[in-house]
């Protein structure tokens, strides 16, 4: 017998769930492989559409030229010896060359390890961005560059969770990174429900109820996670929601972990950063909010940049104890540093071409096209959902997802049970099998008892796939009504 | 008071030690910053030499042209529309263009998430490399592409360690990643001493002694780590040493974790992969070795490629239970995927230009120059150590380090105690303060009681710094003799 078995390995890992890349995603990959091999005569579709994960460039979103031109120069700095060729024959603008030179000066080589928490000059760029965005200065030494937001959250959770009794308030539904990491760390998830009736906003009542219950169970609740704009919900929180979470956190002395990776994906209203609202509150109510600890997370994977594969990201801490920060630094040192190319991409994301600079026009055009296209598809998908029997969905507000409710007929629930599946899982499998469109069942994110949802990205090009989903749904309902 | 304090956060993190980027490294960075600001009149040196970490490109090693040219095209695929310009004006060879096109076909965009365990075609390239290297085929589905070897080891340790009682045999001295991760996982380190007298080879007696002692203490010893070529020791293990470890592991049903990131840095004899020796043993002694579980780790950070900042790496598992492999897959999914550019670099590392291909000549020339330069400097450093009072060092064999013994005078030990430092730490601080050369004290890696060492890379260009270290040592000994 092998030394390592399912029973003998780390059970905290075994218990962890991560549906975004779970059974459905694996099945969709086997379909994709069949199609690639030309062996898909038995499939009722000729392409797989991975709407299970926010991966824009996998679905054909074109990278933004400025970023990639600079990165190409960082990878091959010898190109900088041919500036005339770059500019005259290859459409590189002078500000591309200039940015590449500046970044190379800061990092030396993108093939060298950087400082553990990231290249100092890039952390300064992030600090400048935060100041411009929020109107309050940031301290570069409180910024940590990471391999995407997942790594950032992983680091923060490793610091915050001390033992099984350490609890973290996590929204339900949530991006399953949070519950998966809590599982791996063998700490306690304290779920609080979002308010679907209020377009998935936070409900202070729900948060308080969850908190009080956990406290009375003896859980040492230490932090609250908020994902804004929401994943999987797509909700864009109002300033009032953000304020109420911060007030609650201040009252109960909780660390706030703000996942703000979709901050550039807001269709309705404005993005209200936890950081800005916190500093506003500190000004308004001197004393009360001074000690509040906030960690906020951002990434190059989402927004309009959509560079998931580059694994760029950062987190900023506010109000953290110096000794705790030293431990964060040591912890990130153990795995040396975030990918340096990803760090450079973070720099460009927070410091893009400005009006008047040679690359601005194209940059702006590409950016706007991506934004408009996302909004257009979100709306088309939303309109299709409105038209689908038993499906209810709020208006698209932000992020890259819609998260509709589905009311499945009793016969479908029965059929699901026969297959040993949850009803929403059953529905998503049927959709994948019939259309090639891969989604994630609501149960992968958590949902209120008795409700069913699924998460779908609106990243896939065109709207033909939306029509196909619509058609599938009609047939599904006919079959099980 | 803040919610998170040194006392309340994860004590497993607090207890972790990672000297490679510890106090000395931090101090060296403050020196570097002073010099950059022109504020270093009080320092007796005008540059900081980071010999504390194997970071070749930070010390001026030039990247290999083929790799970087391909990466530049992956970052900006639009350059491929100008193949004539690339080839005629920018020194790109046709095989560079061809490789870039092939990689783009496999990954789609380097800005897209790949499959969780890496791009399938790149895993196939790794499998082909392993087969060429060892003469035994490899299964691509048992290969996982990671963000450098540190991430690979992190993943494997997270799977293997189930609780506090799970023990892993770790060589002493060792690269402190292992003890740090065991600390973070709150599992048990079972240290076994390497044999300094036999040029830091493994000693089966030492391994058995450590194992038996741990077993009698009730530790559930599950795995043995071997670093070959050695870090910090620089040792290159003989085939006999590798065999004896595998035999012991088979006898005791232990998983073998082979850290082989320095496999291309061997000056004396040949590199014997655990994989090849295992398959040889399976052939020679049918039955005994069939169930042995081996995980081996490689990286783009070391060798002659030295691309640390790109965070490329992989691990391969042999003999792992299918259900355990599924858990590894799920675990790596949680943080989505390794940087895709780093994955592409792995592909090129395992599949470099071959004789006869247009890029081969330059590739070969650059590679050889790096190898020869490393060997030349290793020898120069070794010669200097031979000439230094109280310093003893084995002949350079491999990796990027020398790890000499130093016998410090009693007065120096006393002075160290007064400063609350270990003697080797005291020595390394003095060296940094006097010369700007940053090294790591032996205590950061573990060493036999009463012995003192330090680890120094031989990556810094030139040999003038070696002369300066030599001179410092003489003065130090004069001061404390």
């Amino acid at each position: 017998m092998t030394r390592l078995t399912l029973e003998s390995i780390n059970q905290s890992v075994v218990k962890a769930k991560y549906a975004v890349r779970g059974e459905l995603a694996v099945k969709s990959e086997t379909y994709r492989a069949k199609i690639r091999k030309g062996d898909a005569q038995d499939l009722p579709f000729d392409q797989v559409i991975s709407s299970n994960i926010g991966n824009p460039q996998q679905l054909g979103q074109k990278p933004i030229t400025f970023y990639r031109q600079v990165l190409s120069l960082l990878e091959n700095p010898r190109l900088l010896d041919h500036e005339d060729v770059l500019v005259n024959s290859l459409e590189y603008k002078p500000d591309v060359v200039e940015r590449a030179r500046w970044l190379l000066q800061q990092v030396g080589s993108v093939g060298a390890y950087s400082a553990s928490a990231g290249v100092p000059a890039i952390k300064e760029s992030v600090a400048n961005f935060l100041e411009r965005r929020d109107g309050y200065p940031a301290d570069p030494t409180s910024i940590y560059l990471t391999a995407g937001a997942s790594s950032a959250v992983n680091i923060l959770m490793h610091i915050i969770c001390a033992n099984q009794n350490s609890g973290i308030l996590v929204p339900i539904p949530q991006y399953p990174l949070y519950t998966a990491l809590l599982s791996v760390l063998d700490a306690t998830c304290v779920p609080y429900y979002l308010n679907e009736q209020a377009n998935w906003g936070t409900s202070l009542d729900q948060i308080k109820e969850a908190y009080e219950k956990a406290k009375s169970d003896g859980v040492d609740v230490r932090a609250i996670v908020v994902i804004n704009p929401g994943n999987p919900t797509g909700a864009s929180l109002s300033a009032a929601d953000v304020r109420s979470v911060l007030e609650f956190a201040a009252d109960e002395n909780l660390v706030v972990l703000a996942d703000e990776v979709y901050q550039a994906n807001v269709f309705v209203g404005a993005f209200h950063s936890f950081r800005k609202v916190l500093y506003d509150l500190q000004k308004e109510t001197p004393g009360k909010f001074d000690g509040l600890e906030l960690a906020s997370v951002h990434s190059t994977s989402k927004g309009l940049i959509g560079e998931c594969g580059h694994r760029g990201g950062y987190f900023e801490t506010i109000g953290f104890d110096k000794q705790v920060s030293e431990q964060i630094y040591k912890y990130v040192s153990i795995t040396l540093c975030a990918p340096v190319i990803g760090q450079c991409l973070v720099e460009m994301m927070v410091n893009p071409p400005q009006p008047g600079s040679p690359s601005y026009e194209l940059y702006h055009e590409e950016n706007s096209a991506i934004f408009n296209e996302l909004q257009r598809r979100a709306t088309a998908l939303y309109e299709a959902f409105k038209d689908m029997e038993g499906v209810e969905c709020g208006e698209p507000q932000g992020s890259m997802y819609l998260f509709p409710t589905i009311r499945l007929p009793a016969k479908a629930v029965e059929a699901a049970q026969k297959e040993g599946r949850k009803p929403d899982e059953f529905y998503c499998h049927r959709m994948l099998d019939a259309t090639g469109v891969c989604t994630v069942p609501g149960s992968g994110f958590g949902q209120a008892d008795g409700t069913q949802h699924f998460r779908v990205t609106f990243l896939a090009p065109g709207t033909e796939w939306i029509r196909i989903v619509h058609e599938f749904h009609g047939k599904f309902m006919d079959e099980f009504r």
Side-chain angles (χ1 to χ4, degrees), chain A residues 117 144-149 151-152 155 298 311-315 332 338-339 342-343 346:
Chain A
Y144 303 78
L145 302 176
T146 60
S151 168
I155 293 160
H298 196 14
R311 317 304 297 117
Y314 71 83
F315 66 94
V332 300
Q343 295 186 37
V346 168

Side-chain angles (χ1 to χ4, degrees), chain A residues 152-202:
Chain A
V153 173
N154 192 12
I155 293 160
L156 288 162
M157 302 278 254
H158 264 83
I159 297 293
I160 296 173
C161 297
N163 53 50
Q164 287 192 323
N165 199 40
S166 304
I168 297 195
L169 282 153
V170 172
I172 298 295
Q174 52 107 32
Y175 178 55
L177 171 67
Y178 294 94
T179 40
L181 289 175
L182 283 166
S183 209
V184 168
L185 282 160
D186 200 15
T188 300
C189 178
V190 182
Y192 67 91
Y193 285 98
L194 296 172
N195 187 355
E196 185 166 8
Q197 274 61 53
N199 227 335
W200 295 112
T202 49

Side-chain angles (χ1 to χ4, degrees), chain A residues 21 41 51 104 120 128 132 161 179-180 305 325 337 373 411 416:
Chain A
R21 292 204 163 186
Q41 296 76 6
S51 294
L104 281 170
N128 294 337
R132 280 195 312 275
C161 297
T179 40
I305 176 170
S325 299
C337 70
E373 190 56 25
K411 270 202 203 163

Side-chain angles (χ1 to χ4, degrees), chain A residues 196-245:
Chain A
E196 185 166 8
Q197 274 61 53
N199 227 335
W200 295 112
T202 49
S203 149
L204 199 56
D205 289 344
Q206 291 285 354
I207 293 174
K208 276 187 181 156
E209 192 184 310
Y211 175 75
E212 292 302 338
K213 185 179 172 306
K215 226 173 87 173
S216 73
D217 290 346
V219 177
D220 172 24
V221 184
R222 296 173 161 222
I224 178 167
V225 171
V226 185
I227 311 176
N228 177 42
N231 179 359
T233 66
S236 174
L237 293 185
S238 66
D241 273 0
V242 175
R243 277 179 108 92
S244 70
V245 170

Side-chain angles (χ1 to χ4, degrees), chain A residues 465-481:
Chain A
W465 65 276
I466 296 175
R467 193 194 59 73
I468 293 172
V469 167
H470 190 284
E471 189 182 281
F472 150 78
H473 184 79
K475 287 189 192 157
F476 179 93
M477 295 304 276
D478 287 346
E479 181 179 349
F480 293 103
R481 194 179 296 110

Side-chain angles (χ1 to χ4, degrees), chain A residues 82-100:
Chain A
H82 304 271
E83 198 171 329
D84 53 328
V85 180
L86 293 172
V87 172
N88 298 326
S89 309
L90 300 171
E91 298 167 55
Y92 283 59
K93 298 280 195 319
D95 54 342
V96 169
V97 172
E98 194 188 325
R99 182 68 63 94

